[in-house]
Amino acid sequence: MRILLVEDHVELSHWVSKALRDANLTVECAANGADADALLHTQDYALVILDLTLPKMDGLDVLRRLRARGGARGKTPVLILTARGGLEEKVQGLNLGADDYLPKPFELAELEARVKALLRRSVGNEALVHQCGALSFDTVTRMFTYCGEPLALTPREHAVLETLIARQGRAVSKEKLFDEVFALDDDANIDAIELYIHRVRKKLDKRPEGGAAIATLRGIGYLLQPKNAS
């Protein structure tokens, strides 16, 4: 899942983004409100973590403009993260459509818990556990198990497999996988997806019976399905 972190404090932005990447999330960062607004016009995110006191455009204006757009992007969950601790600012942010509010300073564990809660809420009534053959993904813990054992994955391998299992039975294009795995500022070529598909396949192939497999549909994308599925 791809998250936009809007924070102008460089050290805090680095600290939070590292923690979220360690939790197997793809994180893009914007250091001012104008850049954030531009990204939210053109990019899809599972969640926005938004500071209020920002250069070029205030965080509340970013939020107001996001909600005014409507459509799927306009409904993106927003967690306000700010040093403004007054009740008035909190109420204003929530009234403008923020989904949660965490004042600074904060504990990283609480931020991660709130992020996970908002991501779970955003999938609505979808199953909490995705299953494909012997492969399971728990959307609460964000952990994969394979044949009853934890499946060790790098963050980008995790992003590939999470995207595929959330859409199992449907082909996922290379472009969609690239958007979910890499941030805009990552130095990567779209063909890098083939490398991560290869690595994930090798890990899935270690369980020959009752497992899961990634099929390549030429010109279309990739499909996760139970092994031996026709």
Side-chain angles (χ1 to χ4, degrees), residues 8 96 128 132 225:
D8 64 325
L96 285 173
L128 293 178
C132 181
Q225 59 187 1

Side-chain angles (χ1 to χ4, degrees), residues 5 7-23 27 29 49 81 102-112:
L5 171 62
E7 171 59 62
D8 64 325
H9 190 287
V10 176
E11 291 184 3
L12 179 60
S13 177
H14 176 76
W15 178 59
V16 171
S17 60
K18 181 181 184 304
L20 295 175
R21 288 175 181 131
D22 288 344
V27 183
C29 299
I49 300 175
L81 189 68
L102 184 61
K104 302 173 184 176
F106 57 87
E107 295 292 336
L108 191 56
E110 183 178 4
L111 173 64
E112 291 178 355

Side-chain angles (χ1 to χ4, degrees), residues 1-45:
M1 290 185 171
R2 190 164 63 146
I3 288 178
L4 178 63
L5 171 62
V6 189
E7 171 59 62
D8 64 325
H9 190 287
V10 176
E11 291 184 3
L12 179 60
S13 177
H14 176 76
W15 178 59
V16 171
S17 60
K18 181 181 184 304
L20 295 175
R21 288 175 181 131
D22 288 344
N24 297 311
L25 294 166
T26 300
V27 183
E28 291 179 3
C29 299
N32 63 71
D35 287 349
D37 184 59
L39 287 170
L40 291 168
H41 264 291
T42 60
Q43 303 296 314
D44 295 318
Y45 298 98

